[in-house]
């Protein structure tokens, strides 16, 4: 049994990558780990807490984030079931690129599958690219799927 790690968010690009894997590469003896690196609305909680004393507002933002994250995880579980793929959904925290690589190493993944946002050269240079980082630092093959323009 081979373990395949599919890095997913709620984007069209990651859904495309999942579908490409499911339709063209999946084998019945593969075990798929669909990994979602969560993104929070509030990136610096301390700043929010010092800028507003409204505890209800802060709690509501965190609750909305958690609701959104759980929805994405549930959608990912449904994708596995709909495609009759054996596997699980995992929640990752932290920087996506390092979290993906750490999880792949932890589960001894045979391959990483992910989508590409298709950033232009300038934006990719300034912002960096999660898929490029994973591609260049992974010790296992990486399949990057990009939607044709």
């Amino acid at each position: 049994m081979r373990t395949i790690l599919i890095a997913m968010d709620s984007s069209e690009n990651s859904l495309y990558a999942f579908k490409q894997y499911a339709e063209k590469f999946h084998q019945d003896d593969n075990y798929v780990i669909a990994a979602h690196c969560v993104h929070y609305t509030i990136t610096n909680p301390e700043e929010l807490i010092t800028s507003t004393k409204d505890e209800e507002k802060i709690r509501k933002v965190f609750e909305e984030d958690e609701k959104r994250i759980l929805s994405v995880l549930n959608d990912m579980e449904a994708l596995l079931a709909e495609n009759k793929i054996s596997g699980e959904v995992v929640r990752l925290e932290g920087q996506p690129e390092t979290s993906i690589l750490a999880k792949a190493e932890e589960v001894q993944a045979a391959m990483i599958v992910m989508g590409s946002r298709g950033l232009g050269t300038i934006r990719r240079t300034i912002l960096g690219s999660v898929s490029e980082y994973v591609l260049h630092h992974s010790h296992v093959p990486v399949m990057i799927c990009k939607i044709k323009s």
Side-chain angles (χ1 to χ4, degrees):
M1 180 179 288
R2 294 184 327 156
T3 300
I4 308 297
L5 179 76
I6 303 180
M8 298 185 68
D9 55 22
S10 57
S11 73
E12 183 180 352
N13 295 311
S14 68
L15 181 59
Y16 178 77
F18 180 90
K19 287 181 179 178
Q20 291 299 302
Y21 167 79
E23 292 171 8
K24 298 178 180 173
F25 296 100
H26 182 66
Q27 297 173 3
D28 289 339
D29 61 340
N30 288 356
Y31 185 80
V32 172
I33 297 179
H36 174 59
C37 193
V38 299
H39 170 76
Y40 295 99
T41 303
I42 300 169
T43 55
N44 186 350
E46 291 176 15
E47 184 178 307
L48 179 68
I49 291 168
T50 57
S51 68
T52 181
K53 301 298 181 204
D54 186 351
E55 291 179 24
E56 181 62 25
K57 181 178 179 182
I58 295 168
R59 186 183 58 73
K60 187 171 182 164
V61 170
F62 282 112
E63 285 176 357
E64 288 173 3
D65 275 352
E66 190 62 22
K67 184 178 177 182
R68 176 183 45 81
I69 291 164
L70 290 175
S71 175
V72 171
L73 296 172
N74 288 335
D75 289 348
M76 291 167 60
E77 285 179 354
L79 274 174
L80 288 174
E82 288 167 14
N83 288 278
K84 297 179 175 84
I85 294 177
S86 174
E88 65 185 284
V89 173
V90 296
R91 176 182 182 148
L92 304 178
E93 304 273 343
Q95 294 286 36
E97 56 273 21
T98 54
S99 298
I100 291 165
L101 290 171
K103 189 64 176 180
E105 187 172 325
E106 176 191 326
V107 301
Q108 299 179 340
M111 180 170 69
I112 299 171
V113 177
M114 59 192 313
S116 171
R117 289 191 318 178
L119 296 177
T121 305
I122 294 172
R123 288 186 67 198
R124 188 173 57 246
T125 301
I126 294 169
L127 298 174
S129 166
V130 172
S131 57
E132 269 192 28
Y133 185 92
V134 170
L135 177 66
H136 292 293
H137 292 87
S138 176
H139 297 292
V140 298
V142 178
M143 182 173 86
I144 299 174
C145 302
K146 182 176 177 182
I147 299 173
K148 294 179 185 177
S149 303

